[in-house]
Amino acid sequence: MAITVLRSTLCLCSVSSSSNLRQQRTSAPKHRLTSVKSVTSTTPPTFRGVQRRRKNNDENGATVEKVVENPYAKVEAARPDLRKSLSDFLEEARGFVGDGGGPPRWFSPLECAAQAQGSPLLLFVPGIDGTGLGLIRHHKKLGEIFDIWCLHIPVSDRTPAKDLVKLIEKTVKSEHHRFPNRPIYLVGEYIGACLAFDVAARNPDIDLSLILVNPATHVNNFISQPVSGILNVLPDGIPTLLEDIFSVKQGHSLTGMLDALSNNFSGQQMGGGMLRDILAVSTNLPTLGRIFSKDTLLWKLEMLKSAIASVNSHIHPVRVETLILLSGRDQWLLNKEDIDRYSRTLLKCIVRKLDDNGQFPLLEDGVDLATIIKCTSFYRRGKSHDHITDYIMPTTYELKQQVDDHRLLVDSTSPVMLSTLEDGTLVRSLEGLPSEGPVLYVGYHMLLGFDLSPMVNQIMKERNIHLRGLAHPMFFKNPQDSLVDMKMFDKYKMMGGVPVSNFSIYKLLREKAHVLLYPGGVREALHRKGEAYMLFWPERSEFVRVASKFGAKIVPFGVVGVDDICEIVLDSNDQRKMPILKDLMEMATNIAGNIREGDESELGNQDIYLPAIIPKIPGRFYFYFGKPIETAGKEKEMKDKEKAHELYLQVKSEVEQWVAYLKMKREKDPFRHLLPRMLYQATHGWSSEIPTFDL
């Protein structure tokens, strides 16, 4: 069955056979119809990601250097990715109100026309408004990674919930038949979440993923019964009445003034967002009155009760992966006990709380659905999420958010970055880092990983090199009884973290990536008192042999400075003597799992705990990247375990050497301490680079 999708924000077409297409098009204004795209049965090619290329061949076959602009160089000036607002939603909805009715049907926004090849299908099922425009703020960004179809349910439509489920199910089955290897995402809010849930329960054999935004789990009778009673006594024709009372017909001078005020506040951050929305609602009262007419609201309330009852009876058969987004200020249709039951009953369920949002989070500031999908590792193009091939690079604004989150740490420690050129010259910049992968960065891990963000962010900003860090698998789990808020690990997923394993190193180097490895891992990051700058590396490691297989360069590096910003007061030995902390430590260790199972040494029995620290007046961070070690052409040589071990010990020795060098040289840095640095910037400008020791 051919499905035609109108690439327009307002023009719609029914999911129907091509023979009936001309008869079932909507009566949208002609100037809104910008383009039409037919979805064919061609199988989407496998998406391999965008490779960064710096060298090309000219017409004579000679290799020439190509300058690649760094999109992250001006990260400080980045603007939010989501530019649209509630006023845009209401403006577009105005065209839907007068669409002439008709049956429910799918449309695809014009902004979503640029998705990458092989993108999964995303079907959006609307909430109580039925317009299908609930993702309008997210169309452009989501449209780059999904093929988006939105369901429009006209105001006058009275299709029962069970028939809407059948309509969605028909589309799901059709698309699954055409592209059996392509995942299908069902995104629904409120009643739309209930419909999406029912479709998943009825189709256990289809590869589905659910994103449920404020799923309706119950109807608060304390609110719904009075609302229903008020609606029953209200007169018909409310939209016309609103126009007459408030004089807000289109073209009226008051409407123009409100529009101007709304646009004026659209770019403001402090309080402007709320005022902008109030003005937008005031301008579009007639549109809202038509969308939420008396008869429509009464019908939606009854349909809501039916949909909720159906969901509660179908929860156990659902075995698809599910992401639930909950607003912190929605008490009408949400029941926390029900959500807890869902999260424990559903096989693969992630619950993400939006504490500062209300009834319609997808239209509110501060909620970026694409970013949430990235941070929860919920995006996939195949049967399961692949942390390497399914990874999506952060946008410039997403990187800016990471920079802002760690700005206090960076500003207070003024990191000094040193690297080594090919001729052995040490420079104060990152110029010595190889531009082309594969590259393996191997170094010492600071306490609590304080070194990660300053290093990864600066390398991306200065060199457009994206480090793919190998991290403990616990950062990628979503346990229901977690001892910490899992949002604290979002940064690792956003910045390309990958669960550490030999196979992960293999796959990343095969893709010519820049890979960050800490052989000491959690043992170094959670070291005890008196163990600062001690390396806890395994006796042998396979990373040397894997690097040689792909001819990867190995960059040893050292970092110092954590002892200048904090001091450990309770380590794992201390906490084991305290019953409550001991129990928490054992629970955390069990949840995290042992990635070195079988290792009888201390590294194979590492405790997972949070050391108690007291801050100091900040000192300074120092990073030293050594000269890259070539492994190209050494694959056969590295098959000899002794030869490989010699290179491994060389890398370890250089890391220890760079750490010792930095510890010695920082004693001669006149700006090691905070006060001299502040005085320097006060006289030379707050953005000026602060000097350091002589190289």
Side-chain angles (χ1 to χ4, degrees), residues 292-358:
F292 301 111
S293 65
K294 168 186 170 180
D295 291 342
T296 300
L297 286 175
L298 288 171
W299 168 256
K300 291 292 177 69
L301 282 173
E302 293 304 314
M303 186 168 67
L304 185 62
K305 295 176 183 178
S306 172
I308 290 175
S310 179
V311 166
N312 289 330
S313 65
H314 289 157
I315 184 172
H316 292 286
V318 176
R319 290 293 179 266
V320 301
E321 60 180 7
T322 307
L323 172 61
I324 299 178
L325 305 182
L326 299 179
S327 291
R329 302 200 306 267
D330 184 1
Q331 304 299 326
W332 184 24
L333 300 175
L334 287 179
N335 184 296
K336 293 183 178 179
E337 290 74 19
D338 288 338
I339 296 300
D340 289 339
R341 177 168 58 91
Y342 283 16
S343 64
R344 297 180 187 280
T345 303
L346 298 175
L347 186 63
K348 305 173 184 177
C349 183
I350 302 172
V351 177
R352 178 57 61 99
K353 295 180 180 178
L354 312 173
D355 297 325
D356 299 326
N357 295 98

Side-chain angles (χ1 to χ4, degrees), residues 372-417:
I372 292 174
I373 290 172
K374 293 180 185 181
C375 290
T376 51
S377 300
F378 205 73
Y379 184 75
R380 60 189 177 92
R381 301 182 182 92
K383 292 296 182 182
S384 60
H385 175 77
D386 188 309
H387 290 280
I388 298 172
T389 58
D390 286 330
Y391 174 65
I392 304 168
M393 288 281 290
T395 64
T396 306
Y397 184 71
E398 287 170 342
L399 178 60
K400 181 180 185 299
Q401 289 178 307
Q402 296 296 319
V403 171
D404 289 345
D405 288 344
H406 299 89
R407 188 174 300 279
L408 179 61
L409 174 65
V410 173
D411 289 348
S412 62
T413 57
S414 305
V416 175
M417 303 274 182

Side-chain angles (χ1 to χ4, degrees), residues 166-409:
K166 291 179 181 178
L167 184 151
I168 301 168
E169 182 182 29
K170 183 178 180 181
T171 303
V172 167
K173 287 183 175 180
S174 172
E175 288 304 299
H176 176 67
H177 177 73
R178 295 169 64 232
F179 304 123
N181 297 321
R182 178 168 72 160
I184 299 176
Y185 283 69
L186 293 177
V187 180
E189 58 177 345
Y190 286 118
I191 189 171
C194 296
L195 301 178
F197 199 94
D198 261 358
V199 172
R202 291 161 60 102
N203 297 274
D205 297 328
I206 295 181
D207 187 11
L208 298 173
S209 290
L210 295 179
I211 300 179
L212 310 179
V213 184
N214 286 343
T217 60
H218 83 303
V219 177
N220 189 332
N221 290 327
F222 182 76
I223 298 176
S224 64
Q225 289 180 356
V227 169
S228 180
I230 293 173
L231 288 172
N232 279 313
V233 300
L234 281 177
D236 296 329
I238 290 296
T240 305
L241 187 62
L242 288 172
E243 291 181 3
D244 294 337
I245 294 176
F246 295 101
S247 300
V248 287
K249 292 183 179 180
Q250 286 304 119
H252 194 278
S253 58
L254 177 59
T255 305
M257 182 182 71
L258 292 173
D259 276 332
L261 286 172
S262 178
N263 292 333
N264 186 47
F265 282 102
S266 63
Q268 296 190 21
Q269 300 295 324
M270 297 298 293
M274 181 179 293
L275 183 55
R276 177 197 63 206
D277 290 344
I278 292 173
L279 292 170
V281 170
S282 302
T283 306
N284 292 276
L285 279 175
T287 300
L288 288 170
R290 289 185 171 88
I291 294 175
F292 301 111
S293 65
K294 168 186 170 180
D295 291 342
T296 300
L297 286 175
L298 288 171
W299 168 256
K300 291 292 177 69
L301 282 173
E302 293 304 314
M303 186 168 67
L304 185 62
K305 295 176 183 178
S306 172
I308 290 175
S310 179
V311 166
N312 289 330
S313 65
H314 289 157
I315 184 172
H316 292 286
V318 176
R319 290 293 179 266
V320 301
E321 60 180 7
T322 307
L323 172 61
I324 299 178
L325 305 182
L326 299 179
S327 291
R329 302 200 306 267
D330 184 1
Q331 304 299 326
W332 184 24
L333 300 175
L334 287 179
N335 184 296
K336 293 183 178 179
E337 290 74 19
D338 288 338
I339 296 300
D340 289 339
R341 177 168 58 91
Y342 283 16
S343 64
R344 297 180 187 280
T345 303
L346 298 175
L347 186 63
K348 305 173 184 177
C349 183
I350 302 172
V351 177
R352 178 57 61 99
K353 295 180 180 178
L354 312 173
D355 297 325
D356 299 326
N357 295 98
Q359 274 71 17
F360 305 102
L362 295 178
L363 292 174
E364 298 175 20
D365 293 335
V367 176
D368 186 331
L369 186 55
T371 298
I372 292 174
I373 290 172
K374 293 180 185 181
C375 290
T376 51
S377 300
F378 205 73
Y379 184 75
R380 60 189 177 92
R381 301 182 182 92
K383 292 296 182 182
S384 60
H385 175 77
D386 188 309
H387 290 280
I388 298 172
T389 58
D390 286 330
Y391 174 65
I392 304 168
M393 288 281 290
T395 64
T396 306
Y397 184 71
E398 287 170 342
L399 178 60
K400 181 180 185 299
Q401 289 178 307
Q402 296 296 319
V403 171
D404 289 345
D405 288 344
H406 299 89
R407 188 174 300 279
L408 179 61
L409 174 65

Side-chain angles (χ1 to χ4, degrees), residues 522-593:
V522 174
R523 180 64 182 87
E524 284 178 1
L526 301 179
H527 65 249
R528 307 181 187 115
K529 297 175 184 176
E531 294 180 344
Y533 306 119
M534 293 175 60
L535 268 59
F536 295 92
W537 289 21
E539 289 294 325
R540 293 181 179 271
S541 176
E542 290 296 313
F543 75 77
V544 169
R545 301 174 71 179
V546 177
S548 67
K549 180 175 180 61
F550 297 101
K553 296 177 181 178
I554 300 176
V555 179
F557 70 91
V559 295
V560 302
V562 70
D563 56 337
D564 271 351
I565 66 169
C566 65
E567 181 179 351
I568 301 175
V569 293
L570 287 177
D571 61 15
S572 60
N573 292 333
D574 298 321
Q575 295 185 25
R576 281 200 170 276
K577 300 173 184 178
M578 305 176 184
I580 296 179
L581 295 181
K582 178 183 178 183
D583 292 342
L584 290 175
M585 186 165 57
E586 291 177 351
M587 185 184 303
T589 303
N590 290 333
I591 292 174

